Amino acid sequence: MKYGIIGTAGHVDHGKTCLIRALTGIDTDRLKEEKKRGITIELGFAWMDFPKGERVGIVDVPGHEKFVKNMLAGVAGMDMVMLVVAADEGIMPQTVEHLDILSILGVRCGVIVITKTDAADPELTELVEEDIRELVKGTFLEDAPVVPVSVYRNQGIDRLRDTLYQLYRDLPGHKETRAFRLPVDRVFTLKGFGTVVTGTLFGGRIKKEQEAYLYPENTSVKIRSIQVHETNVEEAHAGQRVALNLPDRKKQEIRRGDVVALKNSMYPTMMADVSLTVLRHTQRSVKNGSRVHVYHGTRELLGKVILLDRDELKAGETCYAQLRLEEETVLEKGERFVIRFYSPAETIGGGTVLDICPRKHKRNDQKALETCRIKESGTREEMLELSAWEHWGSFFTLEELAGRSALDKSGLKHTAEKLAERKILVRLNENLYIHRQEMDFYRKRAEAVLDEFHKANPLKEGMGIEELRSRMKLADGKLADDILAVLKTEKVIKEERGLISKKRFRVVLKEDEDAMVKEILNHYLDEGFAPLATELYLKEHRNQKKFPAVFTSLLNKKALIRLDVQYCVHRDYYEKAKTAFREMAEKKPEIALGEYRDYLGCSRKVAVALLEHFDKNGFTRKTEGGRVLKAPGK
């Protein structure tokens, strides 16, 4: 079934509330002050049934200029509007302002209702209709039907109801594929239930007992029960007026403008890129840095307008701008907003949200202007590329990028793969892509780190992977490994024996260093299974400054094998020691330490060092009686 919301708009005391009572039988003025003064102050709510059982919600908004901010909260979610003008007064200031607000906020369907026809003669009513037709030229109401009514004589009410039904039938249905969100327009407490919030449901559907989140606070809430038009329901749908019982929150913890939505579906922000338009008939303009009231959804905030390509935005003009707000809020791309002057309070313009998580832009920056153009009308590929570039360093998944950039998630992986084929994006893992420029940044950082290392350690084969991760300044080890894997694939770096170096780096020995290499290798070949303690051997050559570095380079190359802190052996002798253990294991499965020592003809300390090294590397396994061969194939 299709759902919808009808709203009123118009000047104070033009009969909006009486009109709703005539259509529905419901009095939307609920406050004592409203009864006393005879005007609507807060939002009022009612509903009406159409011939085939369709029930639509009705929102009654205040018409007095002092309560325009309440009117703005009521416009959120309207599918169509009744612009109400009294026949005995005609067009008044709030008639014009409300029409401007409706146009800015993207309302696209409505009917013009001329009320109080009993208080004006037919000629005056006709003149009022002509004035209205002139006013609405160029707006969404230019071709709207006009219905004169008299509530007190019950004239025109049935015709109005039929007209509303005809318009309702032509409305497009609300999409339920999107995640739900409910901007709160009223908060109150019911005895025995606790806190209740109401609003118009945007997108999706919401179910009883469902866990949701309250934004911008970003905390969980439990939905105990749901009402639609004072009827308990199991679930509510997009386009319905909804009341949610949130028993775990106090009334004071929620305010008008907060949003109930799914977890991780909204992103609190204090900044937004927007397309901003100043009303065409205003005498005012918006200057760069102007402090304004910003209205979106049911929220009112203060903020500054930063014009990105000019110093002043005049009547009828449109430009890209950045709203810098004074408190957190949650927005959606494509959402409409209104701005009013800080003082005097007067509607001046509004526009469309392009980006809810932008960078702070410099003024007159062509790159910033181009990004705004892409956000407004770019292709899917352009927007994904831009999102990856703007969220540099965040390592968001494709789903997160889609959420922050209002991209349809369906087919997004395919779009990312196409951009990767064109070398615009780089794939780090199954669902994580970064911009090529960001990858180039990490490449340059890795190259700089390795250049510095190779310069300081020319005899070392490379840097340990843990050290490189640390110096790359990437806190997440898995991400660091993913980036290093790309650099290996792109042949920027190489890894050998757990050491990372630049792809073309080779240890080049000088003549004296080459002589040291031969000396060290010959020494360990001569010593065999009776090596001198490493510390003593290095001490013998302490007068040769390069000797420790050359010695370490042989360890890195595995020409020498370090058994423990005390002993090293030549690689050939290490392999002989393994062969010897295999030979013994063929005759006796379990080999005692003493037996192995005697077989090699070495000291007990060297035998222990060899066997413990074998254990550590998975060649042998220690048992109560000695060692057994753990990996016969090794």
Side-chain angles (χ1 to χ4, degrees), residues 283-313:
Q283 300 301 310
R284 298 184 180 275
S285 63
V286 175
K287 293 181 173 60
N288 179 58
S290 294
R291 194 164 186 243
V292 296
H293 291 269
V294 179
Y295 299 85
H296 72 91
T298 57
R299 193 75 182 270
E300 175 191 7
L301 308 108
L302 288 172
K304 284 186 178 179
V305 177
I306 306 300
L307 304 176
L308 295 183
D309 66 350
R310 65 195 72 192
D311 296 322
E312 184 178 13
L313 188 65

Side-chain angles (χ1 to χ4, degrees), residues 405-462:
S405 305
L407 283 166
D408 185 357
K409 294 179 183 179
S410 62
L412 196 61
K413 181 73 176 294
H414 178 66
T415 303
E417 288 173 350
K418 285 173 64 178
L419 290 172
E421 289 173 5
R422 292 165 52 194
K423 301 191 182 303
I424 294 172
L425 298 186
V426 176
R427 181 180 182 272
L428 293 187
N429 59 46
E430 184 65 24
N431 203 31
L432 180 59
Y433 292 74
I434 63 174
H435 199 279
R436 166 50 66 180
Q437 290 181 23
E438 183 176 1
M439 189 69 227
D440 289 344
F441 171 80
Y442 297 125
R443 173 183 58 77
K444 290 175 183 177
R445 179 183 284 178
E447 288 179 328
V449 168
L450 290 172
D451 280 339
E452 183 181 350
F453 179 84
H454 291 325
K455 185 177 181 180
N457 305 276
L459 297 179
K460 291 186 177 181
E461 293 292 319

Side-chain angles (χ1 to χ4, degrees), residues 4-6 59 72-80 107 174 183 200-202 239 297:
I5 303 294
I6 301 172
V59 179
L72 281 156
V75 176
M78 282 187 187
D79 296 295
M80 58 180 171
V107 179
H174 289 270
T200 299
L201 189 61
F202 292 0

Side-chain angles (χ1 to χ4, degrees), residues 285-464:
S285 63
V286 175
K287 293 181 173 60
N288 179 58
S290 294
R291 194 164 186 243
V292 296
H293 291 269
V294 179
Y295 299 85
H296 72 91
T298 57
R299 193 75 182 270
E300 175 191 7
L301 308 108
L302 288 172
K304 284 186 178 179
V305 177
I306 306 300
L307 304 176
L308 295 183
D309 66 350
R310 65 195 72 192
D311 296 322
E312 184 178 13
L313 188 65
K314 298 178 181 179
E317 293 181 343
T318 298
C319 77
Y320 294 128
Q322 193 164 71
L323 295 180
R324 296 179 186 169
L325 307 171
E326 296 183 13
E327 59 182 301
E328 277 195 327
T329 189
V330 284
L331 298 152
E332 276 206 345
K333 181 176 179 179
E335 187 173 10
R336 299 295 190 107
F337 66 92
V338 168
I339 62 170
R340 306 186 84 215
F341 272 123
Y342 181 69
S343 181
E346 178 184 331
T347 302
I348 183 65
T352 305
V353 175
L354 303 179
D355 188 358
I356 58 173
C357 304
R359 296 181 172 189
K360 184 177 282 189
H361 299 310
K362 294 180 180 178
R363 298 185 63 236
N364 300 309
D365 180 353
Q366 290 303 313
K367 176 67 175 177
L369 295 171
E370 175 61 13
T371 62
C372 286
R373 183 201 67 76
I374 292 172
K375 291 169 187 176
E376 184 175 35
S377 58
T379 65
R380 184 179 173 84
E381 290 185 5
E382 285 178 322
M383 286 191 282
L384 180 56
E385 176 191 351
L386 178 61
S387 185
W389 184 81
E390 288 204 319
H391 294 102
W392 181 312
S394 299
F395 297 105
F396 290 137
T397 64
L398 288 176
E399 286 77 11
E400 289 170 323
L401 287 179
R404 291 169 182 271
S405 305
L407 283 166
D408 185 357
K409 294 179 183 179
S410 62
L412 196 61
K413 181 73 176 294
H414 178 66
T415 303
E417 288 173 350
K418 285 173 64 178
L419 290 172
E421 289 173 5
R422 292 165 52 194
K423 301 191 182 303
I424 294 172
L425 298 186
V426 176
R427 181 180 182 272
L428 293 187
N429 59 46
E430 184 65 24
N431 203 31
L432 180 59
Y433 292 74
I434 63 174
H435 199 279
R436 166 50 66 180
Q437 290 181 23
E438 183 176 1
M439 189 69 227
D440 289 344
F441 171 80
Y442 297 125
R443 173 183 58 77
K444 290 175 183 177
R445 179 183 284 178
E447 288 179 328
V449 168
L450 290 172
D451 280 339
E452 183 181 350
F453 179 84
H454 291 325
K455 185 177 181 180
N457 305 276
L459 297 179
K460 291 186 177 181
E461 293 292 319
M463 176 184 285

Side-chain angles (χ1 to χ4, degrees), residues 18 60 130 310 350 388:
C18 291
D60 186 20
E130 289 177 11
R310 65 195 72 192

